[in-house]
Amino acid sequence: MTVQGLANHVVGARFEALDYQRPPEILSANDQFSKVQELLRGESPTDWPTYGAMLSLRGFADEVRQLILRAQEALVTPEEITAKAEASGLSGWRELAAFYRRYLQVLDDIGKVDYGGLVNQAAAAAGHGEPLFDHLLVDDYQEATFAEEALIVGLRVQSLVVAGDEGSHIFSFQGTTDVPLRRFLEQLPTAEHVSLATAHRCQTPLYEAWSTPHTSEETAAVARELRRIHVEDGVPWGELAVIVRREDGHVGGLLRALDDARVPRTTPEGGLSLLAEPAAFPFVLALRWLARPQDRDGLAESILTSELVRLSPAAARGLVRAALAEDQPPSAALQRTDGLTPEEASELRSLSLVLQEAEAVAGRSVLDAFSTLWRKLPYARRLVEAGERSPEGARDLDSVLALSEAVSRAGEQADASVIAFLEVLEAGEEGPGLAELAEERRPDAVRVFTAHGSAGREFDTVIIVGATEGNFPSLSRPEPMFDLASLDGRVSQADRNRLRLWDERRLFHVVVSRARRRVVFTASDPHAEATVLTARSRFVSELGVAWTPAPTGPFAEPLSVAEAAAVWRRGFADTSQPPQRRLAALRGLLALGDNPARWWFQRDWTGSDRPLHENIRVSFSKLDTLENCALQYVLSEELGLEGRAGYYAWVGHLVHRIIEDCESGAIPRTEDALVAAAEDRWQSEQFPSHAVSEAFRRVVTRKMLPTWLVMYGQTPALAGEIRFNFEFAGATVTGAIDRVGEVSSGGSQITDYKTGKARGGPAEENLQLGIYYLAVNMAEELATYRPVKAVELAFLKENVNGRNFRVQLGMNSKVQQEFREKMAARLSSLIEEIRELLKTEVYRPSPEAECRYCDFKTLCPLWPEGRDLFLAASVARA
Ligand code: SF4
């Protein structure tokens, strides 16, 4: 039995000697935490001159909880703390000691004990009556507390054997000490000391240390090595272990690498990993939705795109936008189905119903809420089906099972609500955390442990990931706020560090000695993402192990489908190989379903000795992009990387076509006819959702087309949508003018219709109108429209002070001359800029650019998302 089990047995047998009417009830770690929190909240700040302001803080309650446990384990009474505090002038400790006394009194009154108090009480009762046992054997005595020592010695058994190893003492941060082991012979002078000299594991396992440039390569190397050991050395998965120092953000990356390489694995023992498990996370999202109505707006999109509903990000955003368009909060998106397929709509409806049902019980029981989710969500059904079909599915199911076990433990706590469960789950190192998970669920799977979690285990091979300073040793662990040792005199930081280093050295020894045959250390080089520069662990160097680069491909013997495809592709392409080997490689590739059409690596770089363009062709839209930013210009106009035109562009195109058909006589010049044409040609599938489509349909049929009819309907155009093409400054300028109208005093007016928001400056500054003006004056096919007396932009969507919005420039001959010169100079300077860019091929982003509608932020060094991922690499290059 555990020490707590032994203590429980003793207290159960001797409760009367402790003045209890019946055996006291035991508070679990979570219940003890809740009790401390509850009592602290009821305290008066006036009784806490030093810490009064912290009484309601969760972190403070956790520190006090730990202090109370540690004090009981160390057999330190409130009175002793008060006396030491008086002697050393540590005033804050007096209020802590007083609370400690009140806490014990409250537990006593309600007939309860916490785990610390249980061992303490058992030690007090151990000496009463006849000895309860004849023989007692205690393992791992290097991890005892003083209360445990008092209990074991106090039981007065006929024969007592304790076994321990000072060098394996690693849980000092949990209040254990090796002092009882070291002074055992003083406590019981008649005891015999036996040294166990025979190592039952391999004395000298094989050590290797691998370094990689980046953590992703490190985790990939670990995954491959596990697969290799299993396949080539024939070691069962369950005989392999991966050990990390602690559960932090890197564990998620490691687990994903193992999953990608299809290495079966267990779930690490702590709570944080449940948040990192992709299969369990949708349930966590649903629980957050239930417990935190105030956070629902922020959760809506994540829930819609998660496995719970499986919407595309665009569809999810469409629902949120539709909700906002109707003045609803984003969370209302879960109640909408605009633009969804019938299957998507039905999945979303079932989720909403299940969430409603679970919400009714969420305040009372996390167990009932989770059970509703599990029984009724289509996602749960899919998980079970996948679990029966594939090993990956089985692992996903395991991680949800781990979550359900954590839920069921939480369901037995005093506060069994979903809120309380989430608090514990998300608390990380703060708070009592989740108890260890049952780990034998998947006997044939690689074990993933934290360093402390690996104690007491044994494997064929152990891979220790992240063997760097900061992990081994980790000297920066936060100190407890209240350290009992400080009552006995100030402990210097140097002393703390020295003791910590010894702790860490012992921990390293324990971790390394888990392997019978082989230990592999891995580390990646420091890079910009680390806040503290890391270096390879000194402990590894002390073992005399040399670091070598981790094995990288190409590997002769493939271990996975991807590797097999790579090896056979190379074999097939290698003309020095015998034909039969190349044919065998080809057969292998075809069997894998590899597609030679996608072997991009076989193609040479494109390029020629000639310049990219021998003739320069420009249009207004190209030049407009160039004026904004040269980098955006090359990416969109030269390389054609711009995303597909969106629904705004589709609406603009539709309106232009309808106007053109009206001008040509294909559509009558009436509002009804224009609206009917728009309704007839409308394609709601062009829009992200039904709501957005309807909003635009209203704008087109009620605003743009009626506005156009008022502005231009009565006077037919001289020409519409006329294409032009003229030579200017060694370049060909092309484009199309929306409308050329007649001016009553003679000459023409150029109009460009705009279907977006009004923006841009006055007409005399507008490059588009300038190019059209030059086109009419220089392109022979437009000669009949000269002279141009006016140019204008007509914003069909806008209405200013009840009037339709136009940006116009009327021109007499002087203005015409000025406008022509100004626009010609601007056009030739832009053409010259293009010529220069083509020559130098250096395209820079512009700090003054309007970046709002730019698709290339992820390629642009001016934006955080476009910067180098690895600063160290760019520094090295520099
Ligand atoms: S994000 Fe701005 S600066 Fe960068 S390429 Fe696009 S427009 Fe240019």
Side-chain angles (χ1 to χ4, degrees):
M1 58 180 72
T2 61
V3 174
Q4 278 80 15
L6 174 67
N8 193 22
H9 182 89
V10 172
V11 170
R14 295 281 147 78
F15 64 90
E16 282 157 344
L18 297 165
D19 287 340
Y20 286 107
Q21 303 290 321
R22 62 182 72 82
E25 198 184 314
I26 302 166
L27 281 182
S28 70
N30 280 311
D31 284 347
Q32 188 232 359
F33 183 41
S34 304
K35 190 57 145 182
V36 171
Q37 262 190 314
E38 177 195 321
L39 292 178
L40 284 174
R41 284 193 189 125
E43 292 276 300
S44 164
T46 50
D47 294 336
W48 292 77
T50 310
Y51 300 113
M54 297 185 173
L55 291 173
S56 60
L57 301 182
R58 181 189 170 88
F60 181 72
D62 185 47
E63 294 288 345
V64 174
R65 171 191 77 87
Q66 289 186 45
L67 169 69
I68 290 173
L69 275 184
R70 299 288 101 88
Q72 292 179 92
E73 286 163 354
L75 299 174
V76 178
T77 63
E79 291 67 32
E80 282 167 329
I81 293 182
T82 307
K84 286 184 178 180
E86 299 289 347
S88 53
L90 296 168
S91 55
W93 282 86
R94 267 184 247 136
E95 52 208 71
L96 288 164
F99 176 76
Y100 176 22
R101 166 54 59 215
R102 289 195 285 279
Y103 167 85
L104 292 180
Q105 191 59 54
V106 168
L107 291 202
D108 204 37
D109 291 348
I110 58 177
K112 294 186 178 178
V113 285
D114 58 26
Y115 282 129
L118 178 68
V119 182
N120 210 324
Q121 297 278 26
H128 288 265
E130 286 296 304
L132 285 168
F133 303 97
D134 295 333
H135 308 284
L136 186 61
L137 293 96
V138 184
D139 195 10
D140 284 333
Y141 200 53
Q142 76 279 359
E143 305 290 5
T145 62
F146 290 123
E148 181 182 339
E149 177 191 40
L151 168 62
I152 284 166
V153 175
L155 278 172
R156 298 164 292 129
V157 291
Q158 279 175 31
S159 78
L160 170 63
V161 178
V162 300
D165 171 12
E166 277 178 50
S168 297
H169 167 52
I170 57 172
F171 287 103
S172 60
F173 71 100
Q174 288 183 354
T176 69
T177 163
D178 58 1
V179 173
L181 177 67
R182 285 194 275 117
R183 71 182 184 190
F184 187 73
L185 291 178
E186 289 166 34
Q187 297 273 59
L188 298 168
T190 55
E192 185 189 351
H193 178 218
V194 180
S195 239
L196 303 177
T198 311
H200 67 95
R201 287 192 198 114
C202 172
Q203 284 278 25
T204 49
L206 181 68
Y207 295 125
E208 283 169 68
W210 294 350
S211 64
T212 59
H214 188 257
T215 39
S216 58
E217 284 150 326
E218 182 183 359
T219 51
V222 170
R224 187 178 194 280
E225 181 59 9
L226 289 167
R227 186 161 265 287
R228 193 201 64 72
I229 301 170
H230 178 69
V231 173
E232 291 182 0
D233 301 351
V235 179
W237 292 119
E239 276 291 328
L240 304 174
V242 178
I243 298 180
V244 294
R245 178 66 175 85
R246 63 178 74 76
E247 284 209 40
D248 58 15
H250 290 298
V251 176
L254 171 68
L255 298 184
R256 273 192 298 280
L258 299 187
D259 295 348
D260 288 348
R262 306 196 168 192
V263 171
R265 57 147 179 105
T266 56
T267 303
E269 68 266 28
L272 287 178
S273 61
L274 289 175
L275 296 174
E277 286 288 352
F281 194 65
F283 287 101
V284 176
L285 277 177
L287 292 173
R288 285 180 179 156
W289 176 274
L290 298 179
R292 297 172 182 154
Q294 73 282 7
D295 293 349
R296 285 182 183 173
D297 287 345
L299 285 169
E301 219 170 303
S302 310
I303 287 190
L304 291 170
T305 51
S306 75
E307 280 295 315
L308 295 171
V309 195
R310 299 183 293 172
L311 292 187
S312 69
R317 276 199 298 277
L319 289 181
V320 172
R321 266 200 302 267
L324 292 173
E326 292 185 11
D327 285 337
Q328 294 174 329
S331 57
L334 265 70
Q335 308 301 330
R336 311 187 66 100
T337 53
D338 323 60
L340 300 187
T341 63
E343 296 75 35
E344 290 170 338
S346 131
E347 186 126 355
L348 182 52
R349 265 193 297 271
S350 9
L351 173 73
S352 299
L353 289 176
V354 176
L355 287 176
Q356 261 171 32
E357 193 179 326
E359 191 174 1
V361 294
R364 177 167 49 79
S365 163
V366 63
L367 199 52
D368 290 350
F370 182 80
S371 143
T372 306
L373 297 175
W374 176 251
R375 281 182 295 108
K376 306 218 161 151
L377 280 178
Y379 171 51
R381 204 170 42 246
R382 288 198 299 276
L383 273 175
V384 174
E385 284 162 9
E388 286 163 1
R389 271 200 316 268
S390 68
E392 294 78 34
R395 188 193 39 72
D396 284 350
L397 209 48
D398 268 354
S399 60
V400 177
L401 197 56
L403 178 70
S404 77
E405 285 173 6
V407 166
S408 78
R409 279 192 301 276
E412 292 159 8
Q413 309 299 328
D415 182 354
S417 65
V418 176
I419 296 182
F421 172 71
L422 287 174
E423 277 191 5
V424 176
L425 187 70
E426 294 163 355
E429 289 173 15
E430 187 186 294
L434 295 161
E436 293 231 338
L437 304 176
E439 58 122 339
E440 288 306 327
R441 244 186 338 262
R442 301 195 70 200
D444 195 22
V446 172
R447 299 288 190 273
V448 182
F449 286 117
T450 59
H452 283 99
S454 70
R457 326 281 173 145
E458 185 180 326
F459 299 93
D460 172 88
T461 298
V462 166
I463 301 185
I464 299 168
V465 179
T468 55
E469 293 287 305
N471 283 336
F472 298 98
S474 167
L475 299 175
S476 58
R477 199 172 61 215
E479 296 295 335
M481 191 170 170
F482 307 116
D483 183 0
L484 283 169
S486 63
L487 285 170
D488 297 322
R490 203 170 166 279
V491 186
S492 72
Q493 195 54 45
D495 283 345
R496 272 191 213 286
N497 286 348
R498 196 170 42 75
L499 292 173
R500 175 67 62 79
L501 188 58
W502 277 111
D503 277 356
E504 292 290 310
R505 204 177 285 286
R506 287 193 302 271
L507 177 63
F508 183 74
H509 163 75
V510 166
V511 169
V512 167
S513 57
R514 300 306 92 201
R516 284 192 300 275
R517 188 172 68 92
R518 186 161 167 251
V519 179
V520 180
F521 303 98
T522 67
S524 50
D525 289 337
H527 47 77
E529 86 182 36
T531 46
V532 179
L533 279 188
T534 51
R536 293 163 196 172
S537 166
R538 71 187 82 170
F539 295 156
V540 178
S541 311
E542 286 168 11
L543 281 177
V545 186
W547 287 93
T548 56
T552 50
F555 299 101
E557 286 299 324
L559 291 174
S560 63
V561 170
E563 279 185 19
V567 169
W568 293 337
R569 262 189 243 131
R570 252 191 311 278
F572 177 54
D574 184 355
T575 48
S576 64
Q577 296 261 350
Q580 62 272 27
R581 283 198 73 86
R582 296 180 65 202
L583 279 173
L586 179 60
R587 276 198 78 153
L589 285 167
L590 293 176
L592 292 180
D594 215 34
N595 179 5
R598 300 185 64 84
W599 295 355
W600 312 118
F601 54 88
Q602 284 204 317
R603 315 244 170 119
D604 277 340
W605 289 103
T606 49
S608 71
D609 297 334
R610 300 211 309 261
L612 196 54
H613 298 288
E614 277 161 358
N615 299 313
I616 299 177
R617 283 176 78 81
V618 295
S619 63
F620 163 68
S621 75
K622 272 190 178 186
L623 297 175
D624 190 40
T625 310
L626 177 64
E627 278 198 320
N628 188 46
C629 169
L631 181 59
Q632 187 187 23
Y633 169 78
V634 71
L635 294 173
S636 64
E637 305 297 338
E638 296 287 7
L639 302 180
L641 298 179
E642 205 159 39
R644 206 167 66 83
Y647 52 92
Y648 282 93
W650 184 82
V651 169
H653 187 72
L654 175 79
V655 171
H656 277 77
R657 287 286 74 78
I658 291 176
I659 292 173
E660 203 184 326
D661 289 348
C662 188
E663 291 282 11
S664 71
I667 299 175
R669 286 180 178 268
T670 67
E671 186 171 328
D672 286 350
L674 290 169
V675 169
E679 295 286 2
D680 194 39
R681 299 178 190 188
W682 198 258
Q683 295 174 8
S684 53
E685 64 274 18
Q686 297 285 344
F687 299 84
S689 71
H690 181 66
V692 179
S693 163
E694 285 306 291
F696 273 87
R697 193 203 293 256
R698 272 197 298 275
V699 170
V700 169
T701 55
R702 297 192 196 162
K703 224 172 194 183
M704 291 190 195
L705 294 175
T707 299
W708 178 82
L709 196 63
V710 170
M711 290 166 90
Y712 304 100
Q714 306 314 316
T715 45
L718 294 175
E721 195 63 25
I722 33 171
R723 309 216 148 262
F724 62 80
N725 185 325
F726 66 97
E727 297 303 309
F728 187 90
T732 307
V733 184
T734 63
I737 300 175
D738 284 346
R739 181 178 202 270
V740 180
E742 197 171 357
V743 175
S744 51
S745 58
S748 67
Q749 168 172 287
I750 294 172
T751 302
D752 189 69
Y753 302 130
K754 296 288 178 200
T755 53
K757 283 211 169 95
R759 61 188 174 108
E764 55 267 39
E765 300 292 335
N766 190 283
L767 180 65
Q768 186 175 16
L769 293 177
I771 289 176
Y772 293 174
Y773 178 81
L774 293 175
V776 175
N777 282 289
M778 299 183 76
E780 274 320 303
E781 64 269 31
L782 304 185
T784 50
Y785 307 119
R786 296 174 196 155
V788 178
K789 293 279 189 62
V791 290
E792 67 168 359
L793 301 176
F795 292 91
L796 301 180
K797 201 172 138 189
E798 301 287 327
N799 224 311
V800 179
N801 300 331
R803 302 185 52 196
N804 306 118
F805 189 59
R806 290 168 155 172
V807 172
Q808 286 178 318
L809 176 67
M811 293 183 277
N812 56 27
S813 52
K814 180 163 174 273
V815 176
Q816 284 180 33
Q817 179 66 21
E818 282 169 8
F819 189 57
R820 180 178 182 143
E821 282 168 10
K822 189 155 125 191
M823 288 300 156
R826 194 157 149 201
L827 184 57
S828 60
S829 123
L830 286 167
I831 291 171
E832 190 46 43
E833 191 179 339
I834 292 181
R835 203 168 275 122
E836 189 61 21
L837 290 172
L838 287 173
K839 198 161 83 196
T840 60
E841 296 189 354
V842 175
Y843 298 87
R844 295 190 196 287
S846 161
E848 283 92 40
E850 165 58 85
C851 303
R852 191 136 154 240
Y853 302 105
C854 178
D855 280 349
F856 306 112
K857 296 192 185 76
T858 49
L859 297 174
C860 175
L862 296 190
W863 284 79
E865 54 267 55
R867 289 201 186 120
D868 272 356
L869 283 182
F870 308 119
L871 196 56
S874 60
V875 169
R877 267 203 317 275

